[in-house]
């Protein structure tokens, strides 16, 4: 399991590195997005997109124990960029064991909702029926698909061309659910070294309840297996009483199993609100 969890963390980290570093410079400048990498840690920041989707710290304490200096450097990068709303992910086996205390000492608190990492092997995906058609997005649908993701997650309009640039990029596969010729749901997949990461699952409110995300999960799983992947990873917010668990249940029904819960640390001012991704 240790090897699997490291692969799961590494593929998510690689996806965000590639998404940011592979985007055209003009697009990165348009949303003020950047990336800093050191000691196995990735710090992503976007000045013009105040959302934890693009402002986060990944990999802390995974490759090697996090020191006080590493923690200060990660948080210093975000604060230097003027980022107030961000998340620091902490794996349950991250080192040192005092990592959470180190973050709390710097004014961070655990978010009310942690993220569950789900893993599955190359077993075939279950069959899913939906009235929508599922296909990989091509260049002519790139902007429309990006609009679906942006609207569903409430992201700034500036991210639309940035997300659209993922369509057709090497290593990425962006699938969409279509109502006629109109994309109404989307999901991304990044593949590297026989490992796949599934993310960006989004459906417009007008088309929820049609099993679009279940169908998109199934199609991406099959696509990952076709590309030789033997480990597929994804994540969503943990089940919280009184809140919808649609994404959680969709993932479980697709053959994924919860592997671990990853804590999220945020500024005290960001400790309330919804975990949307």
């Amino acid at each position: 399991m240790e090897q699997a969890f490291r692969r799961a963390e590494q593929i998510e980290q690689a996806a965000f590195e590639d998404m940011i570093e592979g985007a055209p410079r003009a697009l990165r400048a348009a949303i003020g997005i950047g990336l800093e990498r050191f000691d196995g840690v990735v710090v992503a920041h976007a000045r013009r997109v105040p959302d934890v989707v693009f402002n986060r710290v990944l990999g802390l304490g995974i490759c090697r124990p996090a020191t006080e200096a590493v923690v200060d450097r990660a948080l210093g990068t975000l604060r230097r960029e003027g980022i107030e709303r961000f998340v620091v992910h902490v794996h349950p086996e991250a080192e040192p064991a005092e990592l959470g205390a180190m973050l709390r000492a710097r004014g961070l608190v655990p978010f009310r909702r942690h993220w569950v990492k789900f893993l599955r092997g190359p077993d075939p995906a279950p069959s899913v029926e939906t009235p929508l058609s599922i296909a990989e997005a091509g260049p002519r649908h790139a902007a429309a698909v990006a609009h679906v993701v942006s609207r569903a997650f409430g992201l700034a309009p500036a991210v639309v061309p940035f997300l659209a640039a993922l369509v057709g990029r090497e290593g990425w596969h962006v699938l969409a659910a279509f109502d006629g010729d109109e994309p109404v749901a989307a999901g991304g997949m990044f593949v590297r070294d026989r490992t796949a990461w599934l993310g960006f699952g989004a459906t417009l409110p007008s088309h929820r309840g049609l099993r679009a995300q279940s169908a998109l999960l199934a199609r991406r799983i099959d696509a990952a297996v076709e590309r030789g992947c033997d480990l597929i990873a994804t994540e969503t917010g943990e089940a919280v009483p009184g809140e919808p668990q649609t994404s959680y249940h969709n993932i479980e029904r697709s053959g994924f199993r919860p592997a671990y819960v990853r804590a999220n640390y945020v500024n005290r001012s960001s400790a309330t609100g919804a975990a949307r991704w």
Side-chain angles (χ1 to χ4, degrees):
M1 176 56 70
E2 179 178 349
Q3 182 182 12
F5 98 67
R6 288 187 185 279
R7 288 175 64 186
E9 293 294 304
Q10 288 167 357
I11 190 65
E12 181 186 359
Q13 188 168 316
F16 274 86
E17 290 182 64
D18 185 85
M19 177 178 66
I20 294 171
E21 292 185 330
R25 182 174 300 178
L27 289 183
R28 297 201 303 271
I31 61 175
I33 197 165
L35 187 78
E36 187 169 346
R37 181 173 45 235
F38 53 90
D39 289 284
V41 177
V42 165
V43 182
H45 50 84
R47 291 189 304 276
R48 299 184 181 89
V49 185
D51 196 286
V52 298
V53 170
F54 294 100
N55 297 283
R56 58 170 77 183
V57 178
L58 300 100
L60 195 62
I62 296 295
C63 293
R64 58 184 65 89
T67 64
E68 301 270 355
V70 167
V71 172
D72 286 337
R73 181 174 176 182
L75 297 181
T77 296
L78 292 164
R79 288 165 175 159
R80 184 179 65 248
E81 294 292 329
I83 308 300
E84 293 294 331
R85 190 164 187 262
F86 60 84
V87 63
V88 179
H89 302 304
V90 178
H91 188 278
E93 296 185 31
E95 296 180 308
E98 300 80 19
L99 181 54
M102 292 165 64
L103 294 171
R104 287 192 290 271
R106 288 160 173 80
L108 274 63
V109 295
F111 188 59
R112 64 179 182 80
R113 194 178 195 186
H114 298 323
W115 285 0
V116 180
K117 181 69 80 170
F118 290 84
L119 305 178
R120 82 180 319 275
D123 301 327
S127 178
V128 178
E129 293 187 7
T130 175
L132 305 172
S133 59
I134 309 296
E136 185 154 359
R140 74 187 185 96
H141 289 116
V145 168
H147 272 289
V148 168
V149 176
S150 176
R151 288 170 58 190
F153 287 121
L155 299 175
V159 306
V160 169
F162 185 81
L163 294 172
L166 295 178
V167 175
R169 183 180 299 169
E170 184 177 359
W172 286 89
H173 305 274
V174 180
L175 282 78
F178 293 85
D179 183 354
D181 195 46
E182 178 188 3
V184 295
M189 178 174 73
F190 180 77
V191 174
R192 180 177 290 177
D193 298 331
R194 301 181 66 190
T195 309
W197 174 77
L198 309 187
F200 304 108
T203 304
L204 295 179
S206 58
H207 286 74
R208 289 173 185 163
L210 299 178
R211 306 201 71 193
Q213 283 305 315
S214 293
L216 286 166
L217 280 166
R219 186 65 66 88
R220 284 179 288 170
I221 290 166
D222 289 341
V225 174
E226 290 170 4
R227 286 160 177 80
C229 295
D230 58 14
L231 181 69
I232 307 171
T234 191
E235 65 279 332
T236 193
E238 66 181 342
V240 174
E243 294 189 6
Q245 312 300 331
T246 304
S247 178
Y248 195 105
H249 296 320
N250 284 342
I251 291 170
E252 283 194 314
R253 283 192 292 266
S254 298
F256 286 91
R257 293 293 176 264
Y260 52 87
V261 177
R262 192 173 63 186
N264 295 318
Y265 282 80
V266 298
N267 276 331
R268 289 185 185 277
S269 60
S270 303
T272 60
R276 296 172 300 175
W277 202 322

